[in-house]
Amino acid sequence: MTTENAVKAFRDVQRKLHAYYHAMGLISYDTMTTGPSDASEGRGVTLGILSEAAYELETCKETKDLVSFLLEHRDELDPQAKREAEKFNEGSEYVSSIPAGEYTEYEMLLNKSQEVWKNAKSANDFASFAPYLKKIVETNIRFAKYYRPDQDVMDTLLGRYEKGLTTKELDSFFGSLRARIVPLLKKIKEVPQIDDAFLHQYFPKDKQEEFSDYLMEVMRIDRSHCTIGETEHPFTTNFNKNDVRITTHYYMNDLTNSMYSVIHESGHATYELNSGDQYEYTCLAGGVSMGIHESQSRFFENYIGRSREFCSLIFPKVCELFPEQMKGKTAEDFYRGVNKSEPSLIRTQADELTYPLHIMVRYEIEKLLLTGKIDVDELPRVWAEKMDEYLGIEVPDDTRGVLQDSHWGGGMLGYFPTYALGSAYGAQFLDSMQKDIDVFGSVAKGDLSPVIGWLTDKIYKHGSMIDPKPLFEAAVGKPFDPSYFTEYLEKKYGELYGV
Amino acid sequence: MTTENAVKAFRDVQRKLHAYYHAMGLISYDTMTTGPSDASEGRGVTLGILSEAAYELETCKETKDLVSFLLEHRDELDPQAKREAEKFNEGSEYVSSIPAGEYTEYEMLLNKSQEVWKNAKSANDFASFAPYLKKIVETNIRFAKYYRPDQDVMDTLLGRYEKGLTTKELDSFFGSLRARIVPLLKKIKEVPQIDDAFLHQYFPKDKQEEFSDYLMEVMRIDRSHCTIGETEHPFTTNFNKNDVRITTHYYMNDLTNSMYSVIHESGHATYELNSGDQYEYTCLAGGVSMGIHESQSRFFENYIGRSREFCSLIFPKVCELFPEQMKGKTAEDFYRGVNKSEPSLIRTQADELTYPLHIMVRYEIEKLLLTGKIDVDELPRVWAEKMDEYLGIEVPDDTRGVLQDSHWGGGMLGYFPTYALGSAYGAQFLDSMQKDIDVFGSVAKGDLSPVIGWLTDKIYKHGSMIDPKPLFEAAVGKPFDPSYFTEYLEKKYGELYGV
């Protein structure tokens, strides 16, 4: 076999896998958007067959031999083919490290525990979920040891979602948040609050839909490659770089909820839509990691979308669509309103300032669990203590406490930090970007193309060709430094609240 | 191998094929409903891979051996397993009869000709399409000879869409239409016409959507298993019996267009939703043929939906939703309005009376083409002559003439008759049904369950277990007889127009 033939055969395998994942992804998307509510059995049959076909193709001897051959000849490959083989191998290495029976057993556990979590959440019944979470924690520890016997368990789990991320780095990151954001929040609590009542009137759905179209236009989303749908929880999914879907949820008594969902998800979409063509249908297509992806959605949501310039830019449109609701209000009122900070119970509804503290609570608890310092049964108590300590808020029940997120029941331990990290990456991107282009001058003019151009050049076009850490460092010219983020928050919220 | 094991293995193959077709079907559905407009490349990649996988599985040696084994042991099988093997074999027999190279070449020809047809239609340029249609006709004749060397070509093509259907039967059917409907239409032309202007006012989309929901409720569609979407051309698709999708198209200046699309497609949906559970994920799942399927959609659209009783039933709702537009109108005006008959150019917009004549034009032309009595180049002339003879209408251009339908460019010769046949079957179903239940008494009360129950018992629950002809004959207790249809039309339109 020549390396050329091997690369060709390997790309065929990747293309086939892509096809299976496209089909499975569309079935999931359809389920959450327009599909019939009671059709899970038939979907399950098809998903089972397609995922089995994908698993077989990914792990069969032929594929393994092909990848081994390519890795043995890696010096003869061009950089992309080399990276494809390495990245593909990384992906299957984890699964291969786990005894097959245990892997299937765990999949079945997760399937069950997600259902149990859902019921536990609606019944505010943590005790029914605890035994499942215990098993999930134990299994995660065991699997991490199979995969990387000599490495810290938490580091192994973190690395699965954000390659190269360590507890050391996160401890320093959350340490600086604790030292600087917690006191800032306390100061804000003592001064007069921002009035955002005008953003909580009745906003008809058809007008909000028009507003979404307008925002996507401002975000320069190519609508022939990206649609918007409605779901319970907003998300972005893509099947290839020319087929991206974002969703939102309209609340009739809240203008900004869907507005910032649309901007956030459009940030994710922009990343995918501008990924390099040469990576299509390979394992290098699209965004490289959760952290970098979240940095893009939050960059547009917060650094751009909650800036004074952006608020001024779109305020005339807001007034055009909602003249009654905006009567007597200025662009500055709008800017202040959308930036109101207030400790709250639910992570997904938190504002820019308090959001990372919600993540900190989860990160600290994950560490305690994985090192055996606390037991799953203690979670409600520890949760309440930390919410009180960092956010100064009392947790009335587990539904709005430890049971609010689906992640742990789905086996995702070590995933939450990527959310906060994404926010923090953004501050450093902004700093670097401002050295090259007039970011807010462009925003004020309504032209986001220099911003998107900068990000495309530094991040998007590379797809998954470069690991998150070197990608980030090449973009900003230095390692990750959380002080950019804390300084940004202090400056912005200091000015907003005069503290 | 025991027959029991063989049946199990065979059902696994069918389940896998089902999964591939589910995935491909959803990709097509998504393309036509909510998917991005410019994403055909990526869809093409995935569809290509999935259809290749399906083709391989369907035609591989293992599958063929399995089916042969089952057919050899057919006497040991239960009726369902026996029928599955036979039906599956029938499906692959046609493909297998054609030399592989020719089959692929034809697929490529069709792919190209569909595009050529689309452009030819918008440019009113039949000449550019003619060479493709010539090749399609030649290939269809050749393939029919490969498949059934001793059979009449037209009969072979008809049988592919409606097993057992022959030209002899259709000649007699269309002969009686020609003899009885053409003179009736001429008489109608000479008397005062029905006023349906009130149905062509402005009807806002949101109210039409509410109306669709109401109609699906009247049709007893279980919405947890069936959704409604919007497309350019209405259609029904299903992935299994609990996952059915209908679509409609709303015209703001026409109330009845979408209304009858919803009823028609709900008829197709009802068939699928009530198919026997035991056939799920096998080749016996769902409707047995095009003709029987169309008989169900048209039964609800015309025999039920355009009846006086149905119009009276829904008229209060129409008035509630559109009080201004219905001012001064009665249920009888509504009944007369929705039944207005008027010769027109476009098949898909034709009324109940003129519709079968549009099909007759196509059927006669197909016969002339396949027996070499006319050449493709003569089609525009022959089309115009027949439209004038049967419908008394002048064809101004080929766009609204011979180029209007996509079928021939897609290789579907012998398909059109199933449309008219479906309409005609309905008259005989109605006659039989009325002997068992009080059809229009139930409709008047707004309770369609006796009607659906009768059809479920006679047709739906059998899935594809019984061939269309014996299924039909068992349901109505005698062979197909077109006079039921012509008598129904003569009676209804005679009374409506006083002729």
Side-chain angles (χ1 to χ4, degrees):
Chain A
M1 185 158 51
T2 64
T3 52
E4 203 181 313
N5 286 341
V7 169
K8 209 175 155 298
F10 178 47
R11 292 216 168 122
D12 278 347
V13 169
Q14 292 183 79
R15 239 173 143 81
K16 274 188 193 164
L17 283 170
H18 156 81
Y20 294 133
Y21 289 121
H22 178 178
M24 289 190 272
L26 185 62
I27 290 173
S28 304
Y29 173 78
D30 173 73
T31 306
M32 285 182 279
T33 51
T34 55
S37 58
D38 187 13
S40 58
E41 189 201 295
R43 269 178 215 130
V45 168
T46 296
L47 287 173
I49 286 166
L50 293 176
S51 70
E52 199 183 300
Y55 179 84
E56 272 175 26
L57 180 59
E58 198 165 351
T59 58
C60 70
K61 194 175 172 306
E62 287 77 9
T63 301
K64 279 187 177 165
D65 289 349
L66 204 51
V67 176
S68 301
F69 177 87
L70 289 170
L71 291 176
E72 277 160 31
H73 296 77
R74 69 178 83 196
D75 298 338
E76 300 157 40
L77 301 175
D78 66 64
Q80 183 180 332
K82 183 172 167 232
R83 169 82 178 167
E84 283 171 39
E86 286 167 353
K87 186 130 177 112
F88 190 96
N89 189 50
E90 248 172 42
S92 43
E93 223 191 333
Y94 173 75
V95 178
S96 305
S97 73
I98 300 161
E102 288 189 40
Y103 191 80
T104 316
E105 203 178 305
Y106 181 56
E107 289 286 315
M108 281 158 62
L109 170 67
L110 292 185
N111 211 18
K112 181 74 189 159
S113 70
Q114 278 160 308
E115 200 189 313
V116 172
W117 163 77
K118 212 170 170 180
N119 295 332
K121 181 178 173 179
S122 38
N124 186 34
D125 175 15
F126 180 74
S128 67
F129 176 55
Y132 290 88
L133 186 53
K134 259 183 221 179
K135 273 191 204 160
I136 288 170
V137 172
E138 285 163 15
T139 312
N140 267 276
I141 295 171
R142 197 165 70 250
F143 284 8
K145 287 284 172 203
Y146 287 141
Y147 180 50
R148 294 277 182 262
D150 305 322
Q151 192 173 276
D152 176 73
V153 167
M154 186 74 186
D155 282 351
T156 303
L157 296 180
L158 291 172
R160 290 210 56 226
Y161 301 111
E162 189 74 5
K163 197 179 167 189
L165 184 64
T166 62
T167 32
K168 197 177 154 212
E169 203 167 18
L170 283 177
D171 284 346
S172 133
F173 169 52
F174 285 116
S176 78
L177 283 187
R178 203 180 300 110
R180 295 168 67 174
I181 306 307
V182 175
L184 176 61
L185 255 185
K186 287 199 172 128
K187 274 196 254 171
I188 287 175
K189 255 190 151 173
E190 282 152 22
V191 299
Q193 297 302 299
I194 290 170
D195 175 23
D196 68 344
F198 71 107
L199 299 172
H200 294 272
Q201 305 175 69
Y202 174 70
F203 295 93
K205 192 174 148 183
D206 58 337
K207 293 289 166 189
Q208 289 202 55
E209 285 173 337
E210 251 185 276
F211 192 34
S212 298
D213 289 336
Y214 166 76
L215 292 168
M216 288 174 82
E217 203 184 307
V218 172
M219 291 278 295
R220 308 199 147 235
I221 299 288
D222 179 348
R223 294 296 290 272
S224 75
H225 294 145
C226 181
T227 62
I228 178 165
E230 277 183 70
T231 49
E232 184 57 31
H233 301 286
F235 65 85
T236 300
T237 190
N238 67 296
F239 309 126
N240 53 66
K241 66 165 285 190
N242 291 320
D243 193 341
V244 182
R245 320 290 177 101
I246 74 167
T247 73
T248 189
H249 188 105
Y250 295 108
Y251 295 90
M252 298 313 118
N253 63 347
D254 184 343
L255 177 64
T256 56
N257 201 310
S258 166
M259 168 182 165
Y260 282 106
S261 290
V262 171
I263 300 175
H264 178 102
E265 303 307 336
S266 292
H268 284 303
T270 300
Y271 191 173
E272 295 296 332
L273 289 164
N274 292 292
S275 172
D277 289 329
Q278 67 272 39
Y279 307 125
E280 283 290 270
Y281 318 120
T282 76
C283 63
L284 304 184
V288 68
S289 75
M290 280 310 307
I292 301 290
H293 235 303
E294 201 65 15
S295 79
Q296 295 315 300
S297 53
R298 293 197 178 267
F299 184 83
F300 284 102
E301 179 188 347
N302 293 329
Y303 297 94
I304 301 292
R306 290 189 208 266
S307 69
R308 193 169 261 126
E309 290 80 0
F310 189 86
C311 290
S312 294
L313 170 71
I314 68 165
F315 191 65
K317 187 72 184 184
V318 177
C319 293
E320 183 195 319
L321 291 168
F322 309 105
E324 284 308 309
Q325 297 91 328
M326 293 302 132
K327 201 168 259 175
K329 296 293 166 188
T330 63
E332 182 67 16
D333 294 331
F334 188 73
Y335 167 67
R336 292 177 61 79
V338 303
N339 279 296
K340 179 175 182 160
S341 177
E342 195 170 36
S344 62
L345 289 165
I346 308 298
R347 174 184 65 83
T348 53
Q349 291 163 13
D351 56 77
E352 188 178 3
L353 185 64
T354 57
Y355 186 88
L357 302 180
H358 286 264
I359 301 302
M360 187 161 78
V361 168
R362 287 152 180 79
Y363 169 67
E364 292 189 355
I365 288 178
E366 286 182 342
K367 276 211 306 182
L368 293 170
L369 278 176
L370 291 167
T371 51
K373 290 201 180 106
I374 59 165
D375 191 79
V376 164
D377 299 321
E378 296 172 80
L379 278 188
R381 178 183 56 76
V382 180
W383 186 281
E385 284 168 9
K386 290 195 182 285
M387 286 298 285
D388 180 43
E389 187 183 346
Y390 302 143
L391 286 145
I393 192 167
E394 202 182 315
V395 179
D397 51 50
D398 293 331
T399 299
R400 283 172 287 179
V402 66
L403 287 172
Q404 68 183 267
D405 294 309
S406 66
H407 300 59
W408 290 341
M412 288 153 86
L413 287 153
Y415 184 98
F416 279 121
T418 63
Y419 288 142
L421 206 64
S423 298
Y425 283 165
Q428 225 167 325
F429 283 134
L430 181 61
D431 178 77
S432 286
M433 197 186 285
Q434 283 182 306
K435 287 176 187 145
D436 294 336
I437 58 170
D438 178 11
V439 176
F440 291 107
S442 305
V443 172
K445 280 190 292 177
D447 179 11
L448 263 62
S449 56
V451 172
I452 296 166
W454 192 94
L455 291 165
T456 299
D457 191 48
K458 305 281 184 187
I459 305 166
Y460 304 161
K461 74 174 185 190
H462 301 292
S464 295
M465 185 68 196
I466 305 165
D467 276 335
K469 200 183 274 274
L471 182 76
F472 177 84
E473 291 178 2
V476 303
K478 59 179 80 164
F480 172 58
D481 177 352
S483 66
Y484 285 86
F485 183 47
T486 47
E487 271 160 32
Y488 159 83
L489 289 174
E490 282 173 344
K491 189 165 168 247
K492 177 171 179 177
Y493 285 88
E495 193 253 355
L496 266 165
Y497 282 89
V499 293
Chain B
M1 184 159 51
T2 64
T3 53
E4 202 180 315
N5 285 342
V7 168
K8 209 174 154 297
F10 177 48
R11 292 217 167 122
D12 278 346
V13 169
Q14 292 184 80
R15 239 174 143 80
K16 274 187 194 164
L17 282 171
H18 157 81
Y20 293 133
Y21 289 120
H22 178 178
M24 289 189 272
L26 185 60
I27 291 173
S28 302
Y29 174 79
D30 173 73
T31 305
M32 284 182 281
T33 51
T34 57
S37 59
D38 186 14
S40 58
E41 189 202 294
R43 269 179 215 129
V45 169
T46 297
L47 287 174
I49 287 166
L50 293 175
S51 69
E52 199 184 300
Y55 180 83
E56 272 175 26
L57 179 59
E58 198 165 350
T59 58
C60 69
K61 192 175 173 306
E62 287 78 7
T63 301
K64 281 187 175 165
D65 288 349
L66 204 51
V67 176
S68 301
F69 177 88
L70 289 170
L71 290 176
E72 277 160 30
H73 296 77
R74 70 178 83 196
D75 297 338
E76 299 157 41
L77 302 176
D78 67 64
Q80 182 179 333
K82 181 171 167 236
R83 168 84 179 167
E84 283 170 40
E86 286 167 352
K87 184 132 176 109
F88 190 95
N89 189 49
E90 248 172 45
S92 42
E93 222 190 333
Y94 173 74
V95 179
S96 306
S97 73
I98 299 161
E102 289 188 39
Y103 192 81
T104 316
E105 204 179 302
Y106 182 57
E107 289 286 315
M108 281 158 63
L109 170 67
L110 292 184
N111 212 17
K112 181 71 189 161
S113 71
Q114 278 161 308
E115 202 190 310
V116 172
W117 163 77
K118 214 171 171 180
N119 294 332
K121 181 178 173 179
S122 39
N124 184 37
D125 176 15
F126 179 74
S128 67
F129 176 55
Y132 290 87
L133 185 53
K134 259 181 222 179
K135 274 190 203 161
I136 289 171
V137 172
E138 284 161 16
T139 313
N140 267 275
I141 295 172
R142 199 167 66 248
F143 285 8
K145 287 285 172 202
Y146 288 141
Y147 180 51
R148 294 279 183 261
D150 305 321
Q151 194 172 277
D152 175 74
V153 167
M154 186 75 187
D155 281 351
T156 303
L157 296 180
L158 290 172
R160 292 211 55 224
Y161 301 111
E162 189 73 6
K163 199 179 166 188
L165 184 63
T166 61
T167 32
K168 195 178 156 213
E169 203 166 18
L170 283 177
D171 284 345
S172 132
F173 170 52
F174 285 116
S176 78
L177 282 188
R178 204 179 301 111
R180 295 170 67 174
I181 306 307
V182 175
L184 176 62
L185 255 185
K186 287 200 173 128
K187 275 195 253 170
I188 286 177
K189 256 190 151 174
E190 283 153 22
V191 301
Q193 296 303 299
I194 291 171
D195 176 22
D196 68 344
F198 70 107
L199 298 172
H200 294 273
Q201 305 176 70
Y202 174 71
F203 295 92
K205 191 175 148 182
D206 58 337
K207 292 291 166 186
Q208 288 204 55
E209 285 173 340
E210 249 184 276
F211 191 35
S212 298
D213 289 338
Y214 165 77
L215 291 168
M216 288 173 81
E217 203 183 307
V218 173
M219 291 278 295
R220 309 200 147 234
I221 298 289
D222 179 349
R223 295 294 292 270
S224 75
H225 293 145
C226 182
T227 62
I228 178 167
E230 276 181 73
T231 49
E232 184 56 32
H233 301 286
F235 65 85
T236 299
T237 191
N238 66 297
F239 309 126
N240 53 67
K241 67 166 284 189
N242 291 319
D243 192 341
V244 182
R245 321 289 176 100
I246 73 166
T247 72
T248 189
H249 188 104
Y250 295 108
Y251 295 88
M252 296 315 117
N253 63 347
D254 185 343
L255 177 64
T256 55
N257 199 311
S258 166
M259 168 182 165
Y260 283 105
S261 291
V262 170
I263 300 174
H264 178 103
E265 304 307 335
S266 292
H268 283 302
T270 300
Y271 191 173
E272 295 296 332
L273 289 163
N274 291 292
S275 172
D277 288 330
Q278 67 273 40
Y279 307 124
E280 283 290 90
Y281 317 121
T282 76
C283 63
L284 305 183
V288 68
S289 74
M290 280 308 308
I292 301 291
H293 235 303
E294 201 66 14
S295 80
Q296 295 314 300
S297 52
R298 292 195 180 267
F299 184 83
F300 284 102
E301 179 188 347
N302 293 329
Y303 297 94
I304 302 294
R306 291 188 207 265
S307 69
R308 193 169 260 124
E309 290 80 0
F310 191 84
C311 290
S312 294
L313 169 71
I314 69 165
F315 191 65
K317 187 73 184 182
V318 177
C319 292
E320 182 196 320
L321 290 168
F322 310 104
E324 285 306 311
Q325 296 91 327
M326 294 300 132
K327 201 168 259 175
K329 296 293 166 189
T330 63
E332 182 67 16
D333 294 331
F334 188 73
Y335 166 68
R336 293 178 60 79
V338 304
N339 280 296
K340 179 177 181 157
S341 177
E342 194 170 36
S344 62
L345 288 165
I346 308 297
R347 174 184 63 86
T348 55
Q349 291 163 14
D351 56 78
E352 187 178 4
L353 184 64
T354 57
Y355 186 88
L357 302 181
H358 286 264
I359 301 302
M360 185 163 77
V361 168
R362 287 153 179 79
Y363 169 67
E364 293 189 355
I365 288 178
E366 286 181 341
K367 275 210 307 180
L368 292 171
L369 278 176
L370 291 167
T371 50
K373 290 201 179 106
I374 59 165
D375 191 79
V376 165
D377 298 321
E378 297 172 79
L379 279 188
R381 179 182 57 77
V382 179
W383 187 280
E385 283 168 10
K386 291 195 180 287
M387 287 299 284
D388 179 43
E389 186 184 347
Y390 301 144
L391 287 143
I393 192 168
E394 200 184 318
V395 180
D397 50 50
D398 293 332
T399 299
R400 284 173 285 178
V402 66
L403 287 172
Q404 69 183 267
D405 294 310
S406 67
H407 301 59
W408 290 341
M412 288 153 85
L413 286 153
Y415 184 99
F416 279 120
T418 63
Y419 289 142
L421 206 63
S423 298
Y425 283 164
Q428 225 167 326
F429 282 135
L430 180 61
D431 179 77
S432 286
M433 196 186 285
Q434 284 182 307
K435 287 176 185 144
D436 296 335
I437 58 171
D438 178 11
V439 176
F440 292 107
S442 305
V443 172
K445 280 190 292 177
D447 180 11
L448 262 63
S449 56
V451 173
I452 297 166
W454 192 93
L455 291 166
T456 299
D457 191 47
K458 306 281 183 186
I459 305 166
Y460 305 162
K461 74 174 186 191
H462 301 293
S464 295
M465 185 67 195
I466 305 166
D467 278 335
K469 201 181 276 275
L471 182 74
F472 176 84
E473 291 178 2
V476 302
K478 59 178 80 162
F480 171 58
D481 177 352
S483 66
Y484 286 87
F485 183 47
T486 47
E487 272 161 32
Y488 159 83
L489 289 174
E490 282 172 344
K491 187 163 168 247
K492 177 170 178 178
Y493 284 89
E495 192 254 354
L496 265 165
Y497 282 89
V499 293

